[in-house]
Amino acid sequence: MPDLQDQLAISALMQDWALARDTGDWESLRATAHAGAQMTTTWFDGGFDDFVESCRASWDKGSRSQHFLGGTAAEIRGARAIAQTRMSINVRSRLDGVEVDAVCSGRFFDRVEKREGVWRISRRSVIYEKDRIDPVDPNARISLEAELLARFPEGYRHLAYLQTKNGARVNPNLPTARGEALEKLVAEAKAWLAAQ
């Protein structure tokens, strides 16, 4: 049975990531990942250090998001683990001149490793399960272009729509609640865990 201290350390790591990301504490955010770690989200796919710098640049332009976390379940094998954390991403932005909130729920899906006694992220992916977009002012109206919305899968299509309209290049093939992308993500992670 995995050590309870390891479970607690991995759960705390997930909380540290969210707090650092949402408060603009870039050095603390950087400290949640090992050197060479990788990060994949709707708007970013690459090295963790580049992710941090991209977040900083967006922050400096006024972009804000909030990540609310639920529980973390970690499957631990020696110095490796797969951690899944329930989460909700909340983004406030403008869409065609209207202030909107986009909310997307799903799971952070992390490969974490214990190196020199410290658990950190080595690869973060996100499984997108459901989302929505609403005007902040309930009397305001937004109109979404059906063709653009349909380019993205159910699970993150509204978030992707907003991000695309605001200039981001969004990957339309990310894991959602079910399907081939999810199966591939899980199979690759399980093979990585078994190779420990």
Side-chain angles (χ1 to χ4, degrees):
M1 182 172 184
D3 187 336
L4 179 59
Q5 289 301 110
D6 288 329
Q7 291 279 355
L8 292 172
I10 292 169
S11 293
L13 173 65
M14 301 305 133
Q15 296 294 330
D16 290 346
W17 185 96
L19 183 63
R21 169 69 177 86
D22 293 349
T23 60
D25 185 348
W26 310 123
E27 292 315 306
S28 292
L29 180 59
R30 202 178 306 278
T32 63
H34 287 300
Q38 297 292 303
M39 178 83 186
T40 301
T41 70
T42 54
W43 61 274
F44 183 88
D45 187 17
F48 198 83
D49 284 335
D50 291 335
F51 170 75
V52 173
E53 291 311 312
S54 295
C55 290
R56 184 197 304 260
S58 293
W59 177 278
D60 290 345
K61 292 177 187 171
S63 175
R64 298 292 183 271
S65 61
Q66 295 174 313
H67 298 75
F68 294 94
L69 304 187
T72 297
E75 181 181 350
I76 301 170
R77 294 245 181 103
R80 289 185 175 183
I82 297 171
Q84 297 190 62
T85 305
R86 298 294 312 165
M87 64 82 196
S88 175
I89 304 166
N90 296 256
V91 178
R92 179 161 288 180
S93 189
R94 296 192 80 76
L95 178 63
D96 299 326
V98 178
E99 192 171 38
V100 296
D101 282 331
V103 179
C104 184
S105 299
R107 289 174 278 163
F108 284 134
F109 188 91
D110 295 298
R111 297 183 195 185
V112 293
E113 293 182 69
K114 190 176 192 179
R115 299 181 193 167
E116 297 177 0
V118 179
W119 287 101
R120 290 196 174 121
I121 297 166
S122 60
R123 177 159 191 72
R124 167 161 281 186
S125 301
V126 185
I127 300 166
Y128 299 93
E129 296 177 349
K130 68 176 186 173
D131 74 328
R132 61 182 294 144
I133 189 168
D134 301 287
V136 173
D137 177 352
N139 294 314
R141 295 282 177 256
I142 56 173
S143 179
L144 306 183
E145 301 164 27
E147 186 176 327
L148 176 57
L149 193 64
R151 282 181 26 200
F152 302 104
E154 182 180 349
Y156 65 100
R157 66 173 34 133
H158 297 93
L159 177 62
Y161 183 99
L162 177 63
Q163 291 172 327
T164 300
K165 290 287 276 186
N166 287 325
R169 297 184 64 187
V170 178
N171 183 342
N173 301 305
L174 296 171
T176 57
R178 58 189 58 83
E180 190 176 315
L182 175 63
E183 291 168 8
K184 182 174 186 281
L185 175 70
V186 172
E188 288 174 352
K190 292 281 190 185
W192 170 83
L193 189 63
Q196 166 65 26

